[in-house]
Amino acid sequence: CDSAMILITDFDERSFLKIKQEIPEVVYSKHVADAQIIALIWSKFNPARCPSLRYVVNASVGTNHLNLSSLLQRRVTVLSIPHYCIEEVSDYVVDKVKRSFYLSRNIALVGEGSIGKAVREKLLGGYSVRILHHDSSENEIKEVFEKSSIISLHMPLTKESKDWLNSRRIGYIKEAVIINTSRSAEIDEAALLEGIRSGKVLHAYLDVIGNRNLTSEKNISYTHHRAWKSEKSVELRLRYTMEKIKVARDALLTNSKQV
């Protein structure tokens, strides 16, 4: 492909056509080898096979689908757009908290990025909110979990956060509701199932899930990764994606003129 722009096929046709209307250079293709700029949502690719690549426009909150170390090694700039669905996801969490009105108002938020902060702000005044992080001490996690009736995960998926909510930590819980809008791999799902069947986990609201068999459990509610989605968030993601593509394109043009 001769174009500097290639969009991976996880953009739907409507989004692609809107982008192309504003940025005629874009091309819809899976073949990324000659691309200088790749825009994607979830697709994975091998940066080593893209010798001309200079920019990745990541139209997603997370980056776990990207080989960041390889991109960094090749001096590829990643432009992300993490702020398009803060209201939607935080509203989802607050709704699940309010549905658990029969529990105490002690809440643990694990991770405090933009969405975690938005959840905390929306709950201030009515709830006691404690913040944990992936590297919080085990003693602190134990102390917070023992007192919490609702636990909501808001971490990026990394090596450190994978299986963060494991059997040991679920064991600290007396009775609690679990909410996960981050990544399914942050929860050891076998341990979660054991926690539900033991009665420690009263209910799990999961917007992300790894093992689809869990959806047959009556105390698990799965929302098919739709917490982020609204008419506004879809349009924002599209607009921010176009803005980032233009930034990357203009930078390439500027640099080529300086050579």
Side-chain angles (χ1 to χ4, degrees), residues 76-105:
V76 175
T77 300
V78 177
L79 303 174
S80 290
I81 53 168
H83 303 301
Y84 60 90
C85 59
I86 294 172
E87 287 302 307
E88 287 78 5
V89 178
S90 58
D91 281 347
Y92 172 96
V93 174
V94 170
D95 173 70
K96 305 314 174 198
V97 169
K98 290 180 176 178
R99 290 188 186 196
S100 307
F101 63 88
Y102 53 91
L103 299 172
S104 75
R105 293 179 170 246

Short mmCIF file of all heavy atoms in Angstrom, two decimals, residues 76-105:
data_model
loop_
_atom_site.label_atom_id
_atom_site.label_comp_id
_atom_site.label_asym_id
_atom_site.label_seq_id
_atom_site.Cartn_x
_atom_site.Cartn_y
_atom_site.Cartn_z
N VAL A 76 8.69 4.02 17.65
CA VAL A 76 7.35 4.29 17.14
C VAL A 76 6.55 5.00 18.22
O VAL A 76 6.51 4.56 19.37
CB VAL A 76 6.63 2.98 16.73
CG1 VAL A 76 5.19 3.26 16.30
CG2 VAL A 76 7.42 2.28 15.62
N THR A 77 5.93 6.11 17.87
CA THR A 77 5.13 6.88 18.82
C THR A 77 3.71 6.33 18.87
O THR A 77 3.08 6.13 17.83
CB THR A 77 5.09 8.36 18.41
OG1 THR A 77 6.43 8.87 18.40
CG2 THR A 77 4.25 9.18 19.38
N VAL A 78 3.21 6.09 20.09
CA VAL A 78 1.83 5.62 20.28
C VAL A 78 0.99 6.80 20.75
O VAL A 78 1.29 7.43 21.77
CB VAL A 78 1.75 4.47 21.30
CG1 VAL A 78 0.29 4.07 21.53
CG2 VAL A 78 2.57 3.27 20.81
N LEU A 79 -0.07 7.11 20.00
CA LEU A 79 -1.00 8.18 20.35
C LEU A 79 -2.31 7.53 20.78
O LEU A 79 -3.01 6.94 19.96
CB LEU A 79 -1.23 9.11 19.15
CG LEU A 79 0.02 9.76 18.54
CD1 LEU A 79 -0.35 10.52 17.27
CD2 LEU A 79 0.68 10.68 19.55
N SER A 80 -2.61 7.61 22.07
CA SER A 80 -3.83 6.98 22.59
C SER A 80 -4.92 8.01 22.85
O SER A 80 -4.65 9.21 22.92
CB SER A 80 -3.51 6.22 23.89
OG SER A 80 -2.72 5.08 23.62
N ILE A 81 -6.14 7.52 23.00
CA ILE A 81 -7.28 8.41 23.25
C ILE A 81 -8.10 7.85 24.42
O ILE A 81 -9.18 7.31 24.23
CB ILE A 81 -8.16 8.59 22.00
CG1 ILE A 81 -8.58 7.22 21.44
CG2 ILE A 81 -7.44 9.35 20.92
CD1 ILE A 81 -9.68 7.33 20.39
N PRO A 82 -7.59 7.98 25.65
CA PRO A 82 -8.20 7.29 26.79
C PRO A 82 -9.41 7.97 27.41
O PRO A 82 -9.99 7.43 28.35
CB PRO A 82 -7.04 7.26 27.79
CG PRO A 82 -6.27 8.49 27.49
CD PRO A 82 -6.35 8.67 26.01
N HIS A 83 -9.82 9.13 26.93
CA HIS A 83 -10.80 9.92 27.68
C HIS A 83 -12.18 10.01 27.03
O HIS A 83 -12.98 10.86 27.41
CB HIS A 83 -10.26 11.33 27.91
CG HIS A 83 -8.94 11.36 28.62
ND1 HIS A 83 -8.77 10.81 29.86
CD2 HIS A 83 -7.73 11.84 28.23
CE1 HIS A 83 -7.50 10.97 30.24
NE2 HIS A 83 -6.85 11.57 29.26
N TYR A 84 -12.49 9.13 26.10
CA TYR A 84 -13.74 9.28 25.37
C TYR A 84 -14.95 8.65 26.06
O TYR A 84 -16.08 8.90 25.66
CB TYR A 84 -13.61 8.69 23.96
CG TYR A 84 -13.29 7.22 23.91
CD1 TYR A 84 -14.30 6.26 23.90
CD2 TYR A 84 -11.97 6.79 23.90
CE1 TYR A 84 -14.00 4.91 23.88
CE2 TYR A 84 -11.66 5.44 23.87
CZ TYR A 84 -12.67 4.51 23.86
OH TYR A 84 -12.37 3.17 23.84
N CYS A 85 -14.73 7.84 27.10
CA CYS A 85 -15.86 7.13 27.71
C CYS A 85 -15.82 7.15 29.23
O CYS A 85 -16.37 6.26 29.88
CB CYS A 85 -15.91 5.70 27.20
SG CYS A 85 -14.41 4.74 27.56
N ILE A 86 -15.21 8.17 29.81
CA ILE A 86 -15.09 8.25 31.26
C ILE A 86 -16.47 8.32 31.92
O ILE A 86 -16.74 7.62 32.90
CB ILE A 86 -14.24 9.46 31.67
CG1 ILE A 86 -12.80 9.26 31.20
CG2 ILE A 86 -14.29 9.68 33.18
CD1 ILE A 86 -11.93 10.48 31.38
N GLU A 87 -17.34 9.16 31.38
CA GLU A 87 -18.67 9.32 31.97
C GLU A 87 -19.47 8.03 31.89
O GLU A 87 -20.13 7.62 32.85
CB GLU A 87 -19.43 10.45 31.28
CG GLU A 87 -18.93 11.83 31.62
CD GLU A 87 -18.98 12.11 33.12
OE1 GLU A 87 -20.07 11.93 33.71
OE2 GLU A 87 -17.95 12.47 33.70
N GLU A 88 -19.42 7.38 30.75
CA GLU A 88 -20.22 6.16 30.55
C GLU A 88 -19.79 5.04 31.49
O GLU A 88 -20.62 4.41 32.15
CB GLU A 88 -20.11 5.69 29.10
CG GLU A 88 -20.85 6.54 28.09
CD GLU A 88 -20.13 7.83 27.72
OE1 GLU A 88 -18.98 8.05 28.19
OE2 GLU A 88 -20.70 8.64 26.98
N VAL A 89 -18.47 4.79 31.57
CA VAL A 89 -18.00 3.68 32.39
C VAL A 89 -18.18 3.98 33.88
O VAL A 89 -18.59 3.12 34.65
CB VAL A 89 -16.52 3.35 32.08
CG1 VAL A 89 -16.03 2.22 32.99
CG2 VAL A 89 -16.36 2.95 30.62
N SER A 90 -17.89 5.22 34.28
CA SER A 90 -18.07 5.57 35.69
C SER A 90 -19.55 5.52 36.07
O SER A 90 -19.90 5.10 37.19
CB SER A 90 -17.47 6.94 36.00
OG SER A 90 -18.04 7.95 35.21
N ASP A 91 -20.44 5.93 35.17
CA ASP A 91 -21.88 5.82 35.44
C ASP A 91 -22.31 4.36 35.60
O ASP A 91 -23.16 4.03 36.43
CB ASP A 91 -22.69 6.46 34.30
CG ASP A 91 -22.73 7.98 34.40
OD1 ASP A 91 -22.35 8.53 35.45
OD2 ASP A 91 -23.14 8.62 33.41
N TYR A 92 -21.73 3.49 34.78
CA TYR A 92 -22.02 2.05 34.89
C TYR A 92 -21.67 1.55 36.28
O TYR A 92 -22.45 0.84 36.92
CB TYR A 92 -21.21 1.30 33.82
CG TYR A 92 -21.25 -0.20 33.92
CD1 TYR A 92 -22.14 -0.94 33.15
CD2 TYR A 92 -20.37 -0.90 34.75
CE1 TYR A 92 -22.16 -2.33 33.21
CE2 TYR A 92 -20.39 -2.28 34.83
CZ TYR A 92 -21.28 -2.99 34.05
OH TYR A 92 -21.31 -4.37 34.13
N VAL A 93 -20.47 1.91 36.75
CA VAL A 93 -20.02 1.45 38.07
C VAL A 93 -20.93 2.00 39.17
O VAL A 93 -21.36 1.26 40.07
CB VAL A 93 -18.56 1.87 38.32
CG1 VAL A 93 -18.13 1.52 39.75
CG2 VAL A 93 -17.63 1.20 37.31
N VAL A 94 -21.24 3.29 39.09
CA VAL A 94 -22.09 3.90 40.11
C VAL A 94 -23.48 3.23 40.13
O VAL A 94 -24.06 3.00 41.19
CB VAL A 94 -22.21 5.41 39.88
CG1 VAL A 94 -23.28 6.04 40.79
CG2 VAL A 94 -20.86 6.08 40.13
N ASP A 95 -23.99 2.89 38.96
CA ASP A 95 -25.29 2.21 38.89
C ASP A 95 -25.23 0.86 39.62
O ASP A 95 -26.16 0.51 40.37
CB ASP A 95 -25.68 1.99 37.43
CG ASP A 95 -26.94 1.15 37.29
OD1 ASP A 95 -28.02 1.64 37.65
OD2 ASP A 95 -26.83 0.00 36.82
N LYS A 96 -24.14 0.12 39.43
CA LYS A 96 -24.02 -1.19 40.09
C LYS A 96 -23.85 -1.01 41.60
O LYS A 96 -24.35 -1.82 42.39
CB LYS A 96 -22.84 -1.99 39.52
CG LYS A 96 -22.86 -2.19 38.02
CD LYS A 96 -24.21 -2.61 37.49
CE LYS A 96 -24.22 -2.66 35.98
NZ LYS A 96 -25.57 -2.64 35.40
N VAL A 97 -23.15 0.06 42.00
CA VAL A 97 -23.02 0.35 43.43
C VAL A 97 -24.40 0.61 44.04
O VAL A 97 -24.76 0.07 45.09
CB VAL A 97 -22.10 1.56 43.65
CG1 VAL A 97 -22.18 2.05 45.10
CG2 VAL A 97 -20.65 1.22 43.29
N LYS A 98 -25.20 1.42 43.36
CA LYS A 98 -26.52 1.77 43.88
C LYS A 98 -27.47 0.56 43.90
O LYS A 98 -28.36 0.48 44.76
CB LYS A 98 -27.12 2.91 43.07
CG LYS A 98 -26.38 4.23 43.29
CD LYS A 98 -26.98 5.37 42.49
CE LYS A 98 -26.28 6.68 42.81
NZ LYS A 98 -26.80 7.82 42.01
N ARG A 99 -27.25 -0.37 42.99
CA ARG A 99 -28.06 -1.59 43.02
C ARG A 99 -27.74 -2.45 44.23
O ARG A 99 -28.53 -3.32 44.59
CB ARG A 99 -27.83 -2.40 41.73
CG ARG A 99 -28.41 -1.76 40.49
CD ARG A 99 -28.33 -2.70 39.32
NE ARG A 99 -28.75 -2.05 38.08
CZ ARG A 99 -29.08 -2.70 36.98
NH1 ARG A 99 -29.04 -4.03 36.96
NH2 ARG A 99 -29.44 -2.05 35.89
N SER A 100 -26.58 -2.21 44.81
CA SER A 100 -26.15 -2.97 45.98
C SER A 100 -26.45 -2.18 47.26
O SER A 100 -25.69 -2.21 48.22
CB SER A 100 -24.65 -3.27 45.87
OG SER A 100 -24.35 -3.89 44.63
N PHE A 101 -27.57 -1.49 47.28
CA PHE A 101 -27.95 -0.61 48.38
C PHE A 101 -28.11 -1.34 49.70
O PHE A 101 -28.04 -0.74 50.77
CB PHE A 101 -29.27 0.09 48.04
CG PHE A 101 -30.44 -0.84 47.88
CD1 PHE A 101 -31.23 -1.22 48.96
CD2 PHE A 101 -30.74 -1.37 46.63
CE1 PHE A 101 -32.29 -2.09 48.80
CE2 PHE A 101 -31.81 -2.26 46.47
CZ PHE A 101 -32.58 -2.62 47.56
N TYR A 102 -28.34 -2.64 49.63
CA TYR A 102 -28.56 -3.43 50.84
C TYR A 102 -27.27 -3.71 51.60
O TYR A 102 -27.28 -4.24 52.71
CB TYR A 102 -29.23 -4.76 50.48
CG TYR A 102 -28.49 -5.53 49.40
CD1 TYR A 102 -27.51 -6.46 49.74
CD2 TYR A 102 -28.77 -5.31 48.05
CE1 TYR A 102 -26.83 -7.15 48.76
CE2 TYR A 102 -28.09 -6.00 47.06
CZ TYR A 102 -27.12 -6.91 47.42
OH TYR A 102 -26.44 -7.59 46.44
N LEU A 103 -26.12 -3.34 51.01
CA LEU A 103 -24.83 -3.57 51.65
C LEU A 103 -24.35 -2.30 52.37
O LEU A 103 -24.92 -1.23 52.21
CB LEU A 103 -23.79 -3.99 50.60
CG LEU A 103 -24.10 -5.28 49.84
CD1 LEU A 103 -23.11 -5.46 48.71
CD2 LEU A 103 -24.06 -6.47 50.78
N SER A 104 -23.29 -2.43 53.13
CA SER A 104 -22.69 -1.26 53.77
C SER A 104 -22.10 -0.36 52.69
O SER A 104 -21.93 -0.77 51.54
CB SER A 104 -21.59 -1.68 54.74
OG SER A 104 -20.43 -2.08 54.04
N ARG A 105 -21.78 0.87 53.03
CA ARG A 105 -21.31 1.85 52.06
C ARG A 105 -19.79 1.96 52.04
O ARG A 105 -19.24 3.02 51.75
CB ARG A 105 -21.97 3.20 52.34
CG ARG A 105 -23.47 3.15 52.08
CD ARG A 105 -24.18 4.45 52.37
NE ARG A 105 -25.56 4.36 51.87
CZ ARG A 105 -26.04 5.08 50.86
NH1 ARG A 105 -25.27 5.95 50.24
NH2 ARG A 105 -27.29 4.94 50.46
#
